[in-house]
Amino acid sequence: MSAWPTSPAHHRWLDQHSRDLLAFGRRTADPGGGARWLGDHGEPEPDRPVSALISCRMTHVYGIGALLGVPGAGRIAAQAMAGLTGRLRDTEHGGWFSAEGTGGKSCYDHAFVLLAASTAVQAGLPGAEDLLADAQKTFLERFWDEEAGLCFDTWDTAFTTLDEYRGVNANMHAVEAMLSVASVTGDRSWIARAQRICRFVVATAEAHQWRIPEHYGPGWQPLPEYNHDQPDHPFKPYGATIGHGLEWSRLLLHLASAPTVGEPAGLATAARELFARAVTDGWAVDGQPGFVYTTDWTGRPVVRDRMHWVAAEGVNAAAALYGYTGEVFYADLYRAWWDYVDEYMIDHEHGSWFHQLDASNSPTATVWPGKADLYHAFQATLGARVPLWPMLATAVDEHLS
């Protein structure tokens, strides 16, 4: 029997699950442009405004759906993207609002604009080329710190005052976006920027036993106790975030597989170490299957809830390491984690994945109510089916469309 990451039978299941997820999220597109946060049954949440994050993620997901030949996916992607060219665009100061009526400009959101625009270009959506050009210009002018080789985190609305906080989470999604832009455009300067970010993260993680410090002040001074009073924060939790160790592991292998990268062996070694630390600290450490959300700096669990995105990143990291190394150990974990996802995470009655489970693997909604978007779950259905380079949208276009 073939190892699951390379099994044609398993790939057929993954393909069907991709399409099931796309069917679940079809109501995300808002008539006024952009995409809506989805509820438990895939219904748009009326009390949540159209946001850049959800609009970007759904542009990306349904853009790939169009590349997979799913009828209607291109229309949904175009409608989600219309929020980025319309109501979420700041025509006065440039950049994108996090949501209608909100102030401030975040690197996190703008990294996703880069990702969405690059996927939209790959999918051939009208207006995508202009959006990508605008997104690249804004990102380089406002968020890329050439001196540090890292990204600024947050500006005020007018881009006049820079917040003192610096964060690894936004830089992580910037790496994904940078490599995606390079894949679509062929501009290798984005690979070089991504490599600078990754060098910092690898060096910092190695100095902390491969747990990644997430939060910093000006000059990138670490803030290890940041958000100690908000340990389950959805974007900036206290301590080490298990899912980010897994996600960085995968991103390092994408970078190691990219052209012009001069240190693939070192990146692959770091990917193994980050993965091993995340599994040791996070997987089934409290007597129940599943990944805990966060740990302290000794590896002790802090937030024991299971977030769906962590399991999705675990699946894709295991697939990436198996694809890069050929070692069956990673294929075995890949299979075990999909079994876990099938038993606990996938909502077989109403569709998509539960976004949050408690420590006993029962659905809860204290951090992630509803089923906001498809980004992590959908990507988990694709990682084993395409190579590590180019990045996802381009790889799907070249290998699955």
Side-chain angles (χ1 to χ4, degrees):
M1 182 175 64
S2 300
W4 272 23
T6 55
S7 162
H10 177 61
H11 285 197
R12 289 192 292 272
W13 183 88
L14 291 172
D15 181 67
Q16 184 58 56
H17 193 43
S18 297
R19 296 166 194 275
D20 290 343
L21 289 167
L22 292 170
F24 174 87
R26 290 181 67 89
R27 287 178 283 172
T28 190
D30 189 86
R36 289 280 183 180
W37 183 296
L38 299 177
D40 291 329
H41 298 173
E43 74 284 4
E45 291 281 1
D47 296 332
R48 293 183 179 271
V50 168
S51 75
L53 177 61
I54 302 301
S55 298
C56 290
R57 287 181 169 186
M58 289 308 214
T59 300
H60 172 66
V61 165
Y62 282 95
I64 293 174
L67 292 170
L68 290 171
V70 176
R75 174 185 56 79
I76 296 169
Q79 193 66 19
M81 192 186 83
L84 304 176
T85 57
R87 66 205 293 183
L88 294 167
R89 184 76 174 96
D90 184 348
T91 57
E92 180 179 0
H93 302 295
W96 287 266
F97 299 112
S98 293
E100 285 186 293
T102 62
K105 304 284 173 57
S106 77
C107 179
Y108 192 90
D109 288 334
H110 284 70
F112 272 104
V113 175
L114 273 179
L115 177 67
S118 64
T119 297
V121 168
Q122 192 72 51
L125 300 186
E129 294 276 1
D130 289 341
L131 176 63
L132 180 56
D134 193 10
Q136 291 180 84
K137 181 175 184 292
T138 300
F139 199 92
L140 291 177
E141 290 180 354
R142 302 300 190 181
F143 292 102
W144 177 244
D145 182 352
E146 177 63 26
E147 181 178 355
L150 294 159
C151 299
F152 297 124
D153 198 87
T154 307
W155 289 91
D156 67 344
T157 300
F159 287 115
T160 56
T161 303
L162 180 64
D163 193 282
E164 292 187 344
Y165 175 85
R166 305 287 183 269
V168 165
N169 192 6
N171 277 269
M172 181 182 71
H173 286 291
V175 166
E176 178 188 32
M178 290 172 175
L179 296 179
S180 298
V181 171
S183 294
V184 171
T185 67
D187 182 351
R188 295 183 177 182
S189 67
W190 288 104
I191 300 174
R193 294 183 190 100
Q195 190 166 9
R196 292 183 71 187
I197 296 173
C198 289
R199 283 174 182 155
F200 172 85
V201 171
V202 168
T204 307
E206 185 174 12
H208 290 82
Q209 298 180 306
W210 297 103
R211 300 182 183 101
I212 303 171
E214 299 270 346
H215 312 299
Y216 298 81
W220 287 90
Q221 296 302 311
L223 303 173
E225 296 304 303
Y226 188 88
N227 269 351
H228 192 277
D229 59 343
Q230 289 184 279
D232 63 351
H233 193 285
F235 299 108
K236 298 176 180 179
Y238 161 75
T241 306
I242 295 300
H244 288 167
L246 297 167
E247 198 163 352
W248 275 109
S249 175
R250 172 175 61 84
L251 288 170
L252 294 181
L253 294 177
H254 289 304
L255 179 61
S257 303
T260 73
V261 173
E263 50 191 54
L267 291 167
T269 297
R272 287 174 177 271
E273 295 288 355
L274 287 168
F275 182 91
R277 170 55 64 196
V279 174
T280 298
D281 286 357
W283 174 251
V285 294
D286 54 4
Q288 294 289 331
F291 289 102
V292 300
Y293 182 34
T294 62
T295 72
D296 66 14
W297 298 111
T298 69
R300 181 180 62 86
V302 175
V303 178
R304 297 172 182 268
D305 283 14
R306 278 76 162 131
M307 308 300 175
H308 93 292
W309 69 266
V310 181
E313 290 302 330
V315 162
N316 263 353
L321 278 160
Y322 178 69
Y324 197 90
T325 69
E327 295 177 16
V328 174
F329 168 75
Y330 297 113
D332 290 344
L333 287 178
Y334 175 89
R335 181 172 182 170
W337 292 344
W338 264 120
D339 282 342
Y340 167 79
V341 168
D342 177 72
E343 183 172 357
Y344 296 105
M345 286 285 178
I346 296 175
D347 184 347
H348 292 284
E349 181 177 359
H350 300 297
S352 192
W353 295 21
F354 298 111
H355 274 34
Q356 181 185 356
L357 306 177
D358 65 18
S360 63
N361 283 301
S362 297
T364 188
T366 59
V367 179
W368 286 105
K371 297 169 180 170
D373 65 271
L374 304 175
Y375 166 73
H376 285 286
F378 184 72
Q379 291 198 150
T381 70
L382 295 167
R385 295 195 279 156
V386 293
L388 287 164
W389 188 266
M391 293 295 281
L392 194 56
T394 309
V396 167
D397 197 11
E398 292 180 357
H399 296 274
L400 299 181
S401 66

